[in-house]
Amino acid sequence: MRAHTSLLLLEYEHLKEEQRLRISTRDNLVYTSLAAFALVIAGAIETGAPAMLTLLPPVCMILGWTYLVNDDRITAIGLHIKDAITPELVRQGHPAGGVFTWEHRHRADPRRARRKSVQLVVDLGLFCAPPLIAVAVAWSATPHSLAMMAVIAAETAGTLVLASHFLRNAVSGQA
């Protein structure tokens, strides 16, 4: 049984390291997104070509999706620790109140729901609002060719799909 405990603790350590790396990656995507916004907007202003703003939605979709995937895996790791590793250690005789308490305690924080709501607004504001604004500006400032209308329609649809994933994760409590 001692070897099994050691394997569980080793799994915990590796999962926590993966979680730390994913948190770092997820958080750095915020800065990457801001830099990408600045580049696309500066390019559109510098060239006087508002159609360049249509570059923003694909960038936001890629970065937003990567953010969501990392956030999902971060949550999945925490749930695995809480629902699989911790109960197994308790089953082996470790005290229930002393095993990985953070995995339980931070989810019980009464301010968690408000923080999650604010985070949803921030995520939508970062990954979904800018591309919708960009396509609106591009639509209003460029000729309405069939190709441009198709691009704007596809980018709007893609952004709305991304927004629905952010909303779904927030409602399900997975994010």
Side-chain angles (χ1 to χ4, degrees):
M1 186 144 18
R2 185 79 177 132
H4 188 62
T5 298
S6 295
L7 287 174
L8 287 170
L9 293 175
L10 183 62
E11 180 183 15
Y12 172 80
E13 289 173 17
H14 284 277
L15 287 171
K16 288 309 281 185
E17 180 59 25
E18 179 180 347
Q19 196 177 48
R20 277 189 289 278
L21 291 171
R22 286 185 176 276
I23 288 169
S24 178
T25 298
R26 180 196 62 192
D27 293 351
N28 283 328
L29 286 167
V30 170
Y31 305 116
T32 303
S33 297
L34 295 173
F37 299 168
L39 283 171
V40 171
I41 293 167
I45 292 170
E46 183 70 28
T47 63
M52 282 187 67
L53 292 173
T54 60
L55 296 172
L56 195 55
V59 169
C60 289
M61 283 184 266
I62 291 166
L63 294 173
W65 185 255
T66 305
Y67 180 96
L68 270 173
V69 168
N70 275 285
D71 200 57
D72 178 68
R73 295 298 80 207
I74 291 162
T75 300
I77 289 168
L79 290 173
H80 179 74
I81 291 168
K82 181 177 94 49
D83 297 338
I85 296 175
T86 301
E88 183 59 25
L89 287 170
V90 169
R91 193 185 68 70
Q92 292 179 19
H94 297 276
V99 179
F100 311 136
T101 57
W102 173 250
E103 305 298 338
H104 302 279
R105 189 172 296 140
H106 81 279
R107 289 184 172 279
D109 182 349
R111 296 170 298 180
R112 184 171 189 262
R114 185 178 62 219
R115 279 196 315 270
K116 300 301 277 178
S117 297
V118 170
Q119 187 62 52
L120 174 62
V121 170
V122 169
D123 293 343
L124 291 172
L126 179 66
F127 295 108
C128 300
L132 293 174
I133 293 167
V135 295
V137 170
W139 174 263
S140 67
T142 60
H144 296 152
S145 69
L146 186 58
M148 181 57 76
M149 290 189 307
V151 166
I152 288 174
E155 290 179 343
T156 301
T159 301
L160 294 174
V161 167
L162 180 63
S164 73
H165 282 277
F166 275 109
L167 289 166
R168 188 194 71 215
N169 281 5
V171 168
S172 71
Q174 292 299 306

